[in-house]
Amino acid sequence: MAENIHPIFERTVQRAERETVNGHRSGVVWLTGLSGSGKSTIAAAVERELFDAGHFVVLLDGDNVRTGLCGDLGFSLEDRRENIRRIAETAKLFVAAGAQVLCSFVSPTRAIRALAQDIIGPEDFLEVFVNTPLAVCEARDVKGLYAKARAGEIKGFTGIDSPYEAPETPFLDLKTEHQTVEASAAEVVAAIKHKLSF
Ligand code: ADP
């Protein structure tokens, strides 16, 4: 009976109300790229800039996700997919709560990123390709992972013996090789500004 249905969503605080109070739109900035390309470093700089400007901003990356929410998952294609599915669902909850969510994950295949985009919704998904050549990432080798992958100590490492499929039409193609972290962060902030403000 229609008169007996009382949808709870009519009584909950709406996303639009939250956005009005926050003074900005919510959405997801999804950074994809090779290990060591600079995703986490750039995302942290963007987070700082947005936070200092008074935004409700949240950063999701391997460090805070792989240990808890996805602590039971490994790096098989199946587990990588489940990892991204959970992250995307989490990001979606934060979007509904009014946040600007920065997601920093290798997310190596087009299929995996399409899954994230599907869950989050294309209108709320801004894909940033942290476009740093493999040779540069490998030379940096911040965590020593490329050396281990080359030595065969890590199997299925993205870019070495597991594929990375570059986005074909990213929202932003960020070429980091010849610019500072600050310049890259500024480029991201400038690109997302018109999408995430009123
Ligand atoms: P990812 O999250 O993609 O694995 P990280 O951000 O953890 O990459 O590591 C990238 C490393 O490269 C950091 O130590 C960072 O300081 C360094 N780096 C050097 N130059 C740049 C640059 N232009 N842009 C981003 N990171 C850079």
Side-chain angles (χ1 to χ4, degrees), residues 23-182:
H24 61 72
R25 290 188 202 282
S26 57
V28 174
V29 180
W30 190 280
L31 295 99
T32 172
L34 292 166
S35 176
S37 59
K39 299 179 296 299
S40 296
T41 308
I42 293 163
V46 172
E47 181 192 35
R48 172 53 58 191
E49 197 166 324
L50 295 177
F51 179 81
D52 287 349
H55 294 205
F56 174 23
V57 63
V58 173
L59 171 58
L60 299 178
D61 70 15
D63 289 342
N64 62 20
V65 167
R66 280 270 179 198
T67 50
L69 180 68
C70 301
D72 56 327
L73 301 175
F75 290 88
S76 67
L77 262 188
E78 201 179 311
D79 276 11
R80 282 178 193 253
R81 191 186 143 85
E82 176 60 11
N83 184 46
I84 295 301
R85 190 192 68 77
R86 290 184 200 173
I87 290 159
E89 291 286 0
T90 305
K92 188 178 172 179
L93 290 173
F94 275 113
V95 167
Q100 297 180 336
V101 191
L102 303 167
C103 290
S104 164
F105 299 96
V106 176
S107 41
T109 65
R110 291 190 190 107
I112 266 178
R113 295 190 300 270
L115 172 69
Q117 183 175 28
D118 261 12
I119 290 168
I120 292 161
E123 67 288 352
D124 290 323
F125 184 88
L126 304 175
E127 186 179 56
V128 174
F129 177 26
V130 182
N131 188 352
T132 309
L134 175 64
V136 174
C137 298
E138 193 167 356
R140 286 180 187 159
D141 207 6
V142 198
K143 299 169 190 161
L145 298 176
Y146 284 98
K148 284 188 183 167
R150 289 286 184 202
E153 289 166 31
I154 305 175
K155 301 275 182 225
F157 194 72
T158 304
I160 305 298
D161 56 354
S162 184
Y164 179 78
E165 299 171 358
E168 278 163 346
T169 52
F171 172 72
L172 176 65
D173 184 351
L174 190 61
K175 297 194 169 69
T176 70
E177 196 181 359
H178 300 297
Q179 67 184 20
T180 61
V181 171
E182 292 70 30

